[in-house]
Amino acid sequence: MSDSGSTASHHVGYVDGLTFTISICLTYTLCVSAIRAWIRRRLYGWDDLVVAVSTVFILGFYATSYVSLGAGLGKNAKTIYSESSSKLGTLNRSTVSRNILFLITLYFSKAGVVAFLERTTKTKKHQIVHYICFGLFAVLGIGSIIAITADCGNPNRYFFWDLKKTGPYCPSQTTRWQIVTAFDVFTEVVLAALPLHLMWELQMPTKKKVIIIAAFYVRLPVIGFSLAGNYWAISHYPFSKDPGLAGALITIWQEVEVAYSLAAVTISASKAFADAFSTGFGWGDTFR
């Protein structure tokens, strides 16, 4: 009897699902990073540095995810509140850190796409567009971090994702996350528009254009992941009977989004797609 009770205590809420998701996403990220290091050998550029920085931050993101798990993330609210205040404090601090690392990683991965494009073109007007995008992404990324942290003094006695109880200490949280999602989706739309802008005046076989567009449009699922996370954080969460479980689902979508976003940068920067830039119009010189 005691053994079964002990086993059940390790399967509270979504702990197993979260553990599986975090571990799979971490393994996926490590594999993609190794693949990128291999396919980009002897071709490293500053876009690889941007992605490397993003990889460092995502490893920190996974580390805080495991800390959150150990502190009670994935358990139902009743279990979370029944545990010690110090454990709840650790859970809240790691959750805030994880959200910040999530945004930093996400926007560095977006910048990695622009850095790759900037590296492949010598056309002045295209480069100006890229620099504008860098500035825009930096502003929106910092703005997103400010949106979720400004004027928030969440006390340790309340779970971070318990929006009803933390409302007085961190007001307008639903609005904050709507802003974060809006910035995320907008920047992804900008990234989707960039290859169209760059190829508009280029004389290039249609097949190559399709290849290039396909390489960048593999990022489109990021929008879906972002909207899904927003649904759980904004639309579903206020009506959830258990903020502990709802918070776990938000975390799952964050894990998937950031892992996929970083992997998509590697796909668009692979040599097979980079070769398509060799058009004789100033593109692809770096890769020859």
Side-chain angles (χ1 to χ4, degrees), residues 236-257:
H236 177 79
Y237 189 91
F239 307 103
S240 173
K241 296 180 180 180
D242 196 314
L245 300 182
L249 291 172
I250 297 170
T251 301
I252 288 175
W253 284 113
Q254 287 181 331
E255 299 284 341
V256 173
E257 179 182 357

Side-chain angles (χ1 to χ4, degrees), residues 203-269:
Q203 298 179 12
M204 180 188 298
T206 301
K207 182 179 179 179
K208 281 194 173 184
K209 288 186 178 181
V210 171
I211 291 174
I212 294 173
I213 292 175
F216 291 97
Y217 279 21
V218 295
R219 288 192 62 87
L220 288 180
V222 172
I223 296 178
F225 298 144
S226 180
L227 293 176
N230 182 70
Y231 168 76
W232 284 103
I234 308 303
S235 302
H236 177 79
Y237 189 91
F239 307 103
S240 173
K241 296 180 180 180
D242 196 314
L245 300 182
L249 291 172
I250 297 170
T251 301
I252 288 175
W253 284 113
Q254 287 181 331
E255 299 284 341
V256 173
E257 179 182 357
V258 77
Y260 186 87
S261 178
L262 192 56
V265 183
T266 294
I267 295 174
S268 60

Side-chain angles (χ1 to χ4, degrees), residues 96-167:
V96 173
S97 299
R98 191 178 68 253
N99 285 332
I100 293 174
L101 289 169
F102 163 76
L103 291 170
I104 294 175
T105 303
L106 189 63
Y107 277 88
F108 262 100
S109 71
K110 296 174 192 284
V113 177
V114 182
F116 171 74
L117 288 173
E118 197 279 331
R119 184 185 176 194
T120 60
T121 179
K122 301 184 184 302
T123 305
K124 190 66 175 179
K125 65 178 181 179
H126 289 165
Q127 291 178 329
I128 292 175
V129 171
H130 296 154
Y131 296 145
I132 291 174
C133 286
F134 282 131
L136 177 66
F137 289 3
V139 170
L140 295 184
I142 294 172
S144 296
I145 294 174
I146 293 174
I148 64 171
T149 57
D151 195 29
C152 283
N154 183 29
N156 289 338
R157 64 181 179 274
Y158 297 132
F159 177 42
F160 177 87
W161 288 115
D162 197 341
L163 303 188
K164 294 179 181 178
K165 292 184 178 180
T166 60

Side-chain angles (χ1 to χ4, degrees), residues 2-284:
S2 60
D3 289 341
S4 62
S6 176
T7 301
S9 67
H10 293 287
H11 297 271
V12 178
Y14 295 153
V15 173
D16 288 348
L18 260 176
T19 303
F20 176 78
T21 301
I22 295 171
S23 299
I24 286 295
C25 289
L26 172 58
T27 303
Y28 180 66
T29 298
L30 292 175
C31 289
V32 168
S33 298
I35 292 172
R36 182 185 180 93
W38 174 255
I39 64 177
R40 300 277 288 176
R41 64 191 186 284
R42 297 188 299 276
L43 298 173
Y44 293 128
W46 79 288
D47 56 314
D48 296 291
L49 177 61
V50 173
V51 175
V53 172
S54 183
T55 302
V56 171
F57 280 114
I58 199 174
L59 293 177
F61 170 75
Y62 290 132
T64 56
S65 296
Y66 282 115
V67 172
S68 295
L69 270 175
L73 182 65
K75 298 179 181 179
N76 55 53
K78 182 178 179 180
T79 303
I80 291 174
Y81 285 126
S82 67
E83 296 177 341
S84 66
S85 59
S86 61
K87 203 167 186 180
L88 181 57
T90 299
L91 174 56
N92 283 337
R93 287 190 295 272
S94 61
T95 299
V96 173
S97 299
R98 191 178 68 253
N99 285 332
I100 293 174
L101 289 169
F102 163 76
L103 291 170
I104 294 175
T105 303
L106 189 63
Y107 277 88
F108 262 100
S109 71
K110 296 174 192 284
V113 177
V114 182
F116 171 74
L117 288 173
E118 197 279 331
R119 184 185 176 194
T120 60
T121 179
K122 301 184 184 302
T123 305
K124 190 66 175 179
K125 65 178 181 179
H126 289 165
Q127 291 178 329
I128 292 175
V129 171
H130 296 154
Y131 296 145
I132 291 174
C133 286
F134 282 131
L136 177 66
F137 289 3
V139 170
L140 295 184
I142 294 172
S144 296
I145 294 174
I146 293 174
I148 64 171
T149 57
D151 195 29
C152 283
N154 183 29
N156 289 338
R157 64 181 179 274
Y158 297 132
F159 177 42
F160 177 87
W161 288 115
D162 197 341
L163 303 188
K164 294 179 181 178
K165 292 184 178 180
T166 60
Y169 305 94
C170 194
S172 306
Q173 285 203 58
T174 55
T175 301
R176 294 167 185 259
W177 284 102
Q178 284 176 332
I179 291 173
V180 169
T181 302
F183 286 173
D184 188 10
V185 172
F186 173 71
T187 50
E188 288 298 327
V189 171
V190 171
L191 288 177
L194 278 179
L196 297 177
H197 166 75
L198 294 175
M199 292 188 298
W200 186 260
E201 299 176 354
L202 291 180
Q203 298 179 12
M204 180 188 298
T206 301
K207 182 179 179 179
K208 281 194 173 184
K209 288 186 178 181
V210 171
I211 291 174
I212 294 173
I213 292 175
F216 291 97
Y217 279 21
V218 295
R219 288 192 62 87
L220 288 180
V222 172
I223 296 178
F225 298 144
S226 180
L227 293 176
N230 182 70
Y231 168 76
W232 284 103
I234 308 303
S235 302
H236 177 79
Y237 189 91
F239 307 103
S240 173
K241 296 180 180 180
D242 196 314
L245 300 182
L249 291 172
I250 297 170
T251 301
I252 288 175
W253 284 113
Q254 287 181 331
E255 299 284 341
V256 173
E257 179 182 357
V258 77
Y260 186 87
S261 178
L262 192 56
V265 183
T266 294
I267 295 174
S268 60
S270 66
K271 193 172 188 304
F273 290 116
D275 287 342
F277 284 96
S278 301
T279 63
F281 290 87
W283 290 48

